[in-house]
Structures are given as C-alpha cells and as structure tokens.
Amino acid sequence: MPVRRGHVAPQNTYLDTIIRKFEGQSRKFLIANAQMENCAIIYCNDGFCELFGYSRVEVMQRPCTCDFLTGPNTPSSAVSRLAQALLGAEECKVDILYYRKDASSFRCLVDVVPVKNEEGAVIMFILNFEDLAQLLAKSSHRSLSQRLLSHSFLGSREADGSHGRSGGQGPGASRGKYRTVSQIPQFTLNFVEFNLEKHRSASTTEIEIIAPHKVVERTQNVTEKVTQVLSLGADVLPEYKLQAPRIHRGTILHYSPFKAVWDWLILLLVIYTAVFTPYSAAFLLSDQDESQRGVCGYTCSPLTVVDLIVDIMFVVDIVINFRTTYVNTNDEVVSHPRRIAVHYFKGWFLIDMVAAIPFDLLIFRTGSDETTTLIGLLKTARLLRLVRVARKLDRYSEYGAAVLFLLMCTFALIAHWLACIWYAIGNVERPYLEPKIGWLDSLGAQLGKHYNGSDPASGPSVQDKYVTALYFTFSSLTSVGFGNVSPNTNSEKVFSICVMLIGSLMYASIFGNVSAIIQRLYSGTARYHTQMLRVKEFIRFHQIPNPLRQRLEEYFQHAWSYTNGIDMNAVLKGFPECLQADICLHLHRGLLQHCPAFRGASKGCLRALAVKFKTAHAPPGDTLVHLGDVLSALYFISRGSIEILRDDVVVAILGKNDIFGEPVSLHARPGKSSADVRALTYCDLHKIQRADLLEVLDMYPAFADSFWSKLEVTFNLRDTGVSSHPPNRTQAAETTQAFSSVTTRQMQPLP
C-alpha cells in the first residue's frame, strides 16, 4: 500500500514557502520575476490588494515599478530611485506617495529586496509595502520609529543622484547581467528563524538563496525498497519527485535505512521488556535477591546486566528521536532541530522518559523493607513502551496474516501477564494462610515438594510454578478450566473471575471475528494489488519508456493513497439525480459561496453548475495544462499553489481562489494555451468544461450577464498570437445563442 514520505521542495516550491511565510507575518508584498521583460509581477498577496484596492487580476503581469500606483503628486525622484534600484539589483527603501484605486493618496514605505541564486544572478524581486502612517503609529513606543525616520525620510530627501552605479555599468548592462539566466533553478529556503529586518541590517545587501544539491530522479533502488519494507513509521512512503533534503548536521532522516533498522531493534527490546519485566518482578525478585544485589550491584545476575543495557538503549532512543526528521501537516520534511524537539516534546517524550527510568537502579541500595515490592511495581512502568509499539505496528494491520499473528501474540502476552499476577497473589498470601490451602501449597503437595518455613528455597522450582500458572491462565481464558489447578482463597477466586471475564471478551472479540477481520483487511490490499497489476500490464503491453512508466506508477500510488481506491464518480452515479445535485452542491460549496462570479445565482442555477463541476487533485510537479493544449475548461483553485511557465520561466504564481483558463464570453471558439501550468504543491481544483458552462448559462440568461461581468480570470492562458480579435458583449451573447441552437438541433429526434 502507498505511504507518504513528504515532498522536499520540488522545483520553485521555495516561492510558495516565501508566500506562506510572508502571509503569516501580515505583510503587503508582491514578487516580480527578474527574467521577464519589465520585471513583471508574478504574484501579489491579499494584503497588497486590500492596501491599494486593486484585484489580483489588475496587478498581475504589470511592471514591478508600479507606475499604475503613481499620481500627479508622486515625486518623480522617488519613482526614479525605485526604478534605479530595480535596474541595479540593489536593496533599498523608498518613501513614496502612492494612490489607491479610489484616488486617495498615502505615504508608503517600499522595501526592495533582490533575490539571488547560487551564481549571484538576480532572479526575482520582493517588494514589501507599508503604510507609513500606520507603521509609525504602531511603533511609536519603540525605537523603530526613529530608525524608520533616519533611514527612510532622510534617505528619501537626500540628493537623488547619491545612488550611482558601481563599476560604471549602466542599466542595460545590469539588466543584461542577470537576464543570462535562462530558467529559475531549484532552491530550498529555511524560514524557521527568518527575520527580514535582521537580514536588512546585515552587511550584505541581498538575501542569498543558495541552491542545494542537484535534483536526482529518485529511482527505487534495493536500499530504498528494503527501507520501505522495514520502516515502522506511518509517514514513510514513496514520494512523487523528490529532491534530497538539506538537513542539519547530526539530523537523521526518518526514512533512512539506519532509522528503519534502529526501529526494529527497539521493537525487539520492547518485546523483551514486555515478556521479562513481569516475569522478573513476580518470579525472580525476592528479598534474598535484593539483599544480594545490595552487595554486588548489577553484576550478580546476567539478567540484571541485560536490563541495564536495555535501559541504556532506550535512553539512546530518546536522544535519536530528538534528531529525527518528521513530516508535518503540509507534507514537508521538517529537519530543524528546534522544531523536531518541540514536536517530540508534544508527542511521545513523556511516555518514553517514564518508561526508560531504571527505578531498580535508583532505589536498590535504600535498604528499606518495602524495597522488593516497590521495585516490582515500578518495573512494570517499562510496559508503557508497548504504547509506541502498538502505534508502529498499526501500519501492518491491513495484512490478514500479520493481523492473525499479532492477535495470537497479544493473546499469549496477556496470558503471560496474568500468569505472573496469579503467581504473585499466591506468593503474597502463602505466609499468612492457615491452614495452607493456597494453590502454591497444593502444587507443592502434588509434586512432593513441600514448603518449609525455615528453608526459603523449599517448594516447587521456578519453572514448575511458572508453567503451572501459565497453564491455569490459558485454560481459564479459553474455557472454564479443568480443575486440576483451582483457586482456593477468596483472592484467588476473585482473580479467576476476572480472568474468565477477560477470556470471554477476548474469545468473542478476537477469535470469533478472525475470519471477518481477515476478509475486511484483505479486501483493500487485494484491490490495490489488482489495480497495480493492471497498470503494470498496461505498461508492459505498450512498452512505455522508463520516465513515463515511473510517473504512471507514482501517480497511481498517490491517487490510491488520496482516494483510498474509491472511484468517487462511480459512487456519485449510484444515487438519484436530485441527490447527486445536493451532493455536488455540498462538495463545491466553498467555490460557489466565496467566488464573486456566482453571487446572485438562484438555487436551481447553483445546483445545475455544481453538477457540471469536477474536482481534480494534482501532486507536486504534475502538469495540468501544456503549451498548445486546447483550452476546453475553466479552472478554480481551492487549495495549493501552481506556477505558469513560458520557456521554463515563471510568469505567474497562483494560489487559493485564483482562476485560470480563458474568458469564455470573449471568444466564440476555444483557444490554445500559451504556457504550461504546473502544480507547485498538492493542489485541489474545481474545473468546468466550456460547453457545460455555456449550456447552464443559456438556461439562466438573467444570471449570465451578472456572471460574465463579475468573472475575473486571474491569468488568461489564451495564445493571442493565433486568435482573432475578441468579440464584444453582443458577440458573446451571439456565441451563447449559437451554442444553444446547436444543442437544440442535436437533441431533435431523427425522422
């Protein structure tokens, strides 16, 4: 079954990282691509749109000099400073008077930050905008206001020619220097401790984003396959196309072979602890053993030495967990030590720490009379380690044979624990019973090994006592017992009742449903392997080459893990049409409620649109639209980020609530795409076919005009070089009417 490993910065994912990080800091910013002509804006966040009153559609692809924000009172010197900073790839702060869309003006502090690659070439600009009045009001009680005044006001009122070019290079030469970069390389950027002010105050003038190792097409070699099989973690699974993560020194990847082998070693130690800790506490720990240990310490018995080694190994495991990466909720591998430590502290640290404390080592020299009993109780705290074992073994619960084996082991382990308790009850009661009617005395009489009060070593051997206790618990759990080992005292009878209750529950819940459990767990695995076999047969029959074959297999694994092998469309078609409309209305409720284009539509219109909409899920690196494809659908992004590329150059980055495709109302025929559209992260999209949209709007003409006027396509993919001039509103209406007439003719019956 497919499992997530988490993607690590696919190509240009660092852009999405910048966007998410700055969004969390409530900044108003835009990103411009230095490779494009006029350094076109490829992204602007909602804060920027709210600050100036423009929509994202009106801002995208404009020059990052932001000439559309200037007005009659904007100083030309400030505009020149901004343009010179962009041409010279310099970091600067400019105090400039900008105008909102409603013509109101305000003083704005613009921070220009060039972003370089590892070769030193500028690949993009980040421009941050702050309302100077609000900024000074917020920081009036701190020294930040003085720093802003000294660096912004004074700097903007100095001579405009103070920012000359170094080296005698003019604007054209500076621009040509970084325009030699043909495509944006792949980057990773750690924003855990990122502070923009801190970087600005440093001696360097640019944020250096260094490219890590080259991306390696990850083919599953023998080591990775073995690691995947051995791994006990729930978040270790095949990825889509991954880049080798850049981790800190001493950090261990959670899907590395070392971590897989270490987890199995810890599993074996936990099983040893679960078996020998109750046995040692009940059968092997006595007053004589404790007094002897007080003299010679941990070297008296090999078993105590092994216990000490196990305790040390679990302490080492805690240290390793503090340095092991994990996959967060965004499917990203987290390798920063501080974030790993916080994640571990919030998770399993407390249980691991309590279970790793060697209580018997800490108190064995106290000399108290209750030492033996106390050590026996505290040693059982090691059983807390079983909680982690249950979590790690959960990934094998889908295999019927593994489930049956785990159930049998669980049953035997519980019987072992109950046998230890059964012996402990008889051993504690035996010195105080008169007459000697306990099960231990009865066993001694049957074996001819009677207890002698003056000889502590008298009575049945440890092996006889353990085997008899285990025999009693197994017979009580599986049946009502055979009577040859019977409870005689009240304590023994109460414990026997509890064992019978536990046995009845285990028998009914485990053994009575083994066949059903196996059938249920095998069904999903069988369906997965059947579908995977079909994919492999398809690849073999058509002789698909290796790169495309790998994409097919990885996409199938990802789609299966996302949908769990359920065909949502087939499930939906099993319901009546009226119920299908209600379900589709619920599935697309976020889009229909929040997109301005659908406001004012009647409930019937929304139901008709919801039935036509389809959902799509794209993993990182998946190309949604290729250059030259016919634009037959309109796409609405509900989650994730996508990039639009022309000649491998990013021209736009779109996110949640953005729309791409073409304005259907302006063209009578569908056009062809002028760019590639590729997913940056895991994306969820709603798409509707052009013909379906026109069909629904033709049925609701009153809503059609409102829809076309409110629809704002964030990025128009239509290739204007091969298309005719866009028709006016009348031509759009004629297009809808023509489509309606064609549909009517198609629906007429044949004579």
Side-chain angles (χ1 to χ4, degrees):
M1 295 289 286
V3 199
R4 297 179 309 118
R5 177 181 286 180
H7 64 271
V8 185
Q11 184 173 7
N12 298 330
T13 301
Y14 73 101
L15 294 176
D16 182 70
T17 306
I18 292 175
I19 292 170
R20 288 191 287 108
K21 181 62 180 179
F22 276 42
E23 289 280 8
Q25 298 175 354
S26 300
R27 295 183 180 271
K28 297 89 175 174
F29 69 97
L30 57 84
I31 300 177
N33 193 340
Q35 303 171 352
M36 298 178 61
E37 185 178 359
N38 296 327
C39 297
I41 298 172
I42 62 174
Y43 179 82
C44 64
N45 72 332
D46 294 336
F48 177 88
C49 297
E50 294 174 0
L51 180 63
F52 292 99
Y54 289 91
S55 65
R56 190 173 297 174
V57 180
E58 298 171 311
V59 177
M60 298 286 283
Q61 301 301 302
R62 288 178 177 262
C64 66
T65 52
C66 300
D67 297 334
F68 62 98
L69 299 178
T70 59
N73 296 328
T74 302
S76 58
S77 59
V79 177
S80 300
R81 280 195 60 203
L82 180 61
Q84 291 173 1
L86 293 172
L87 291 174
E90 299 176 353
E91 180 182 3
C92 73
K93 297 182 181 181
V94 181
D95 175 20
I96 189 170
L97 185 69
Y98 273 147
Y99 287 79
R100 297 184 176 92
K101 189 175 182 180
D102 59 3
S104 61
S105 61
F106 68 99
R107 298 187 67 178
C108 182
L109 179 63
V110 183
D111 293 349
V112 180
V113 182
V115 180
K116 290 185 176 182
N117 63 359
E118 61 180 355
E119 298 176 355
V122 176
I123 57 172
M124 69 174 59
F125 293 99
I126 301 176
L127 278 71
N128 187 67
F129 299 81
E130 295 288 347
D131 189 337
L132 206 52
Q134 296 180 2
L135 191 63
L136 292 176
K138 292 179 180 178
S139 57
S140 59
H141 61 286
R142 297 191 302 236
S143 61
L144 181 61
S145 58
Q146 286 81 4
R147 188 171 64 83
L148 288 173
L149 288 172
S150 61
H151 287 78
S152 299
F153 284 104
L154 297 180
S156 62
R157 294 177 182 177
E158 288 178 355
D160 297 328
S162 60
H163 293 270
R165 297 292 169 272
S166 61
Q169 292 182 346
S174 177
R175 179 175 293 274
K177 177 181 179 181
Y178 57 79
R179 293 212 180 273
T180 58
V181 182
S182 61
Q183 64 179 4
I184 293 181
Q186 307 195 0
F187 300 89
T188 56
L189 186 60
N190 192 342
F191 277 104
V192 176
E193 300 293 340
F194 183 77
N195 189 325
L196 194 58
E197 294 295 335
K198 177 180 178 181
H199 281 265
R200 290 171 184 163
S201 62
S203 59
T204 57
T205 57
E206 295 89 4
I207 296 178
E208 299 287 346
I209 301 182
I210 305 301
H213 318 289
K214 288 186 177 181
V215 174
V216 180
E217 290 289 341
R218 296 184 64 93
T219 58
Q220 287 192 340
N221 53 30
V222 177
T223 304
E224 289 182 340
K225 289 179 179 290
V226 172
T227 303
Q228 181 178 343
V229 173
L230 291 180
S231 178
L232 292 175
D235 50 1
V236 180
L237 291 172
E239 72 281 14
Y240 187 64
K241 279 188 178 177
L242 296 189
Q243 176 175 324
R246 201 176 187 183
I247 62 176
H248 291 73
R249 184 184 301 273
T251 303
I252 302 171
L253 289 173
H254 62 280
Y255 53 85
S256 63
F258 167 77
K259 190 61 171 61
V261 175
W262 178 262
D263 285 343
W264 275 101
L265 176 61
I266 295 299
L267 173 61
L268 295 178
L269 295 180
V270 170
I271 295 175
Y272 166 83
T273 302
V275 174
F276 280 92
T277 295
Y279 178 79
S280 175
F283 288 91
L284 303 183
L285 201 61
S286 63
D287 294 335
Q288 279 189 336
D289 296 334
E290 181 61 21
S291 61
Q292 185 179 3
R293 187 185 298 177
V295 177
C296 60
Y298 256 68
T299 60
C300 297
S301 172
L303 190 60
T304 57
V305 177
V306 174
D307 288 342
L308 179 60
I309 296 175
V310 170
D311 292 333
I312 294 175
M313 294 292 288
F314 274 96
V315 172
V316 174
D317 181 61
I318 294 176
V319 177
I320 291 178
N321 287 330
F322 273 113
R323 304 295 298 179
T324 304
T325 61
Y326 70 95
V327 178
N328 62 10
T329 55
N330 293 326
D331 295 327
E332 298 171 343
V333 176
V334 178
S335 62
H336 195 276
R338 184 177 63 84
R339 295 178 62 186
I340 293 175
V342 172
H343 179 264
Y344 185 46
F345 268 117
K346 293 180 179 179
W348 297 93
F349 172 75
L350 183 60
I351 292 178
D352 290 347
M353 178 57 68
V354 173
I357 296 176
F359 292 103
D360 47 352
L361 178 63
L362 297 178
I363 65 175
F364 79 92
R365 294 185 184 273
T366 58
S368 174
D369 294 337
E370 292 81 12
T371 299
T372 303
T373 305
L374 182 60
I375 290 178
L377 293 176
L378 292 179
K379 283 172 71 73
T380 58
R382 298 178 179 179
L383 299 180
L384 290 173
R385 295 166 180 161
L386 288 174
V387 179
R388 294 197 66 185
V389 172
R391 180 180 65 92
K392 290 180 178 294
L393 292 178
D394 181 65
R395 65 168 298 190
Y396 296 103
S397 61
E398 61 190 25
Y399 302 102
V403 171
L404 182 58
F405 177 75
L406 290 176
L407 290 179
M408 297 299 295
C409 291
T410 302
F411 184 83
L413 185 61
I414 293 176
H416 168 73
W417 292 348
L418 294 177
C420 296
I421 298 175
W422 171 250
Y423 169 76
I425 292 175
N427 188 46
V428 171
E429 282 189 328
R430 194 188 62 79
Y432 308 101
L433 290 177
E434 208 52 57
K436 304 296 184 179
I437 60 172
W439 75 272
L440 286 175
D441 293 290
S442 301
L443 177 63
Q446 292 176 4
L447 299 178
K449 301 178 181 179
H450 298 276
Y451 281 94
N452 186 357
S454 60
D455 185 9
S458 61
S461 63
V462 175
Q463 291 79 4
D464 294 334
K465 292 183 287 189
Y466 174 73
V467 171
T468 304
L470 189 63
Y471 165 78
F472 170 77
T473 53
F474 263 109
S475 61
S476 299
L477 288 173
T478 57
S479 62
V480 294
F482 299 101
N484 49 354
V485 180
S486 59
N488 298 321
T489 66
N490 291 334
S491 301
E492 294 173 355
K493 292 177 181 178
V494 170
F495 178 76
S496 300
I497 294 173
C498 296
V499 172
M500 293 177 188
L501 289 175
I502 296 174
S504 61
L505 292 176
M506 292 181 63
Y507 193 90
S509 60
I510 297 178
F511 292 99
N513 297 294
V514 164
S515 59
I517 293 174
I518 294 177
Q519 290 178 0
R520 183 174 67 252
L521 296 178
Y522 261 128
S523 60
T525 305
R527 287 190 298 111
Y528 169 75
H529 288 294
T530 301
Q531 294 295 335
M532 192 64 183
L533 183 61
R534 292 178 180 176
V535 173
K536 291 182 178 180
E537 284 295 326
F538 176 84
I539 293 172
R540 184 194 60 81
F541 181 80
H542 293 282
Q543 298 180 354
I544 296 177
N546 185 48
L548 187 57
R549 174 190 64 80
Q550 185 177 359
R551 288 179 58 191
L552 283 174
E553 292 180 353
E554 290 177 348
Y555 182 82
F556 171 76
Q557 292 179 351
H558 172 76
W560 188 278
S561 63
Y562 184 73
T563 62
N564 212 13
I566 300 175
D567 187 354
M568 301 301 175
N569 294 326
V571 173
L572 189 62
K573 290 179 181 178
F575 299 102
E577 294 184 357
C578 59
L579 191 54
Q580 288 185 30
D582 293 335
I583 296 173
C584 293
L585 196 62
H586 171 76
L587 296 177
H588 305 288
R589 66 189 184 282
L591 171 65
L592 300 177
Q593 291 176 0
H594 297 100
C595 184
F598 298 103
R599 293 174 184 169
S602 63
K603 189 173 182 180
C605 180
L606 292 178
R607 289 166 60 88
L609 286 170
V611 173
K612 300 297 184 181
F613 268 105
K614 304 296 181 184
T615 57
H617 182 78
D622 191 21
T623 302
L624 303 173
V625 180
H626 290 82
L627 176 67
D629 286 353
V630 177
L631 299 174
S632 59
L634 198 61
Y635 296 85
F636 301 79
I637 305 175
S638 63
R639 183 177 74 96
S641 300
I642 67 168
E643 58 179 352
I644 299 177
L645 304 99
R646 289 179 181 149
D647 298 327
D648 289 333
V649 176
V650 178
V651 298
I653 296 178
L654 306 183
K656 184 179 180 180
N657 299 328
D658 284 334
I659 307 171
F660 65 92
E662 69 170 348
V664 180
S665 62
L666 301 181
H667 305 281
R669 299 182 61 184
K672 296 181 179 179
S673 175
S674 62
D676 294 320
V677 180
R678 188 167 58 193
L680 275 176
T681 62
Y682 290 101
C683 298
D684 292 327
L685 304 100
H686 305 271
K687 69 175 183 179
I688 185 171
Q689 295 295 321
R690 172 192 179 99
D692 293 336
L693 179 62
L694 292 174
E695 179 184 356
V696 174
L697 294 179
D698 179 65
M699 293 188 295
Y700 297 91
F703 170 69
D705 292 336
S706 172
F707 177 81
W708 295 127
S709 61
K710 294 179 182 179
L711 179 65
E712 293 184 343
V713 180
T714 309
F715 194 92
N716 185 4
L717 290 174
R718 188 181 181 92
D719 190 353
T720 56
V722 297
S723 61
S724 60
H725 297 287
N728 52 24
R729 184 66 62 181
T730 304
Q731 290 174 319
E734 292 176 355
T735 300
T736 307
Q737 184 177 1
F739 177 83
S740 174
S741 61
V742 172
T743 306
T744 304
R745 289 197 300 270
Q746 291 177 349
M747 295 177 61
Q748 291 178 354
L750 295 175

